Amino acid sequence: MKSKKSSLTLSNTHYIVLAIDPGYERLGISVLKKEKGKDSLMYSDCLTTKKTLPHSKRLTYLGTSLKALLLTYRPNALAIEKLFFNTNQKTALLVAEVRGVILYEAGLVNIPVYEYSPGEIKVAVTGYGKSDKLQIKAMVQRLLPIQKKIQYDDEYDAIAVGLTHMAIYRAVN
């Protein structure tokens, strides 16, 4: 298993993280790159699955899509939001299965996975652990130039996960 330091020095000039806000109906994804000390957004999207599909087909679609992104961008790390259990346990279990697919795909390409709680993400991006969606969106837009219209909060959340990883990883290394 690679140490944190070795994965950062693999490319010497840049560091790429694929960041995910997990969900089975909507899964936010972003790819951020740090080059010469500056973060930039290489890619972001919100993968959506049809409610009419069986859950197994939804998982297959998300896994296949993730595999393609991992092979395309060849990230040094994968950052993902930790599962937050709310009152709907059925939803939490379905999202946990999505996380399993994500962790499996990351394992297949042997990249380290870093998990961040919702509170850690809010503090890293806004400086306040109880920030709401609008505050996170506003700070993401201030921190990174985004050249496209983003439809779903899940995509902003994935970008926030990536920014969190870049900030914490920079502090450690």
Side-chain angles (χ1 to χ4, degrees):
M1 183 157 200
K2 297 174 189 163
S3 72
K4 288 182 184 180
K5 207 73 146 166
S6 67
S7 64
L8 181 59
T9 58
L10 282 176
S11 67
N12 291 330
T13 58
H14 67 270
Y15 180 82
I16 298 171
V17 62
L18 188 147
I20 299 178
D21 176 42
Y24 66 95
E25 187 173 330
R26 291 195 315 253
L27 185 139
I29 291 187
S30 69
V31 179
L32 279 72
K33 179 177 177 179
K34 177 175 294 305
E35 192 165 36
K36 297 179 182 174
K38 184 174 172 135
D39 297 338
S40 63
L41 181 65
M42 297 176 68
Y43 172 85
S44 70
D45 200 359
C46 185
L47 302 179
T48 58
T49 61
K50 296 179 183 174
K51 292 179 182 181
T52 56
L53 285 176
H55 188 59
S56 62
K57 295 290 184 192
R58 292 169 106 171
L59 292 175
T60 301
Y61 167 74
L62 295 172
T64 302
S65 299
L66 180 59
K67 179 187 280 185
L69 290 168
L70 288 165
L71 294 174
T72 299
Y73 291 100
R74 306 246 183 234
N76 302 91
L78 185 141
I80 187 168
E81 184 175 6
K82 286 181 184 175
L83 186 57
F84 176 73
F85 281 95
N86 57 14
T87 56
N88 190 340
Q89 289 184 353
K90 181 181 178 187
T91 299
L93 290 173
L94 295 173
V95 174
E97 291 174 353
V98 170
R99 284 178 44 85
V101 169
I102 294 164
L103 297 175
Y104 173 78
E105 291 296 340
L108 286 178
V109 295
N110 199 29
I111 63 169
V113 175
Y114 299 86
E115 298 182 61
Y116 302 100
S117 70
E120 288 174 310
I121 295 164
K122 290 173 183 179
V123 167
V125 174
T126 69
Y128 179 58
K130 295 185 180 182
S131 299
D132 62 23
K133 295 276 187 192
L134 289 175
Q135 291 168 316
I136 291 170
K137 178 181 174 180
M139 282 306 295
V140 164
Q141 291 172 329
R142 286 183 186 163
L143 294 169
L144 279 179
I146 299 173
Q147 305 299 326
K148 65 180 220 162
K149 182 175 175 11
I150 294 179
Q151 184 175 1
Y152 296 109
D153 287 342
D154 309 80
E155 195 170 338
Y156 280 111
D157 291 346
I159 297 168
V161 172
L163 288 169
T164 299
H165 178 73
M166 291 300 202
I168 291 173
Y169 197 81
R170 176 177 33 243
V172 173
N173 291 293

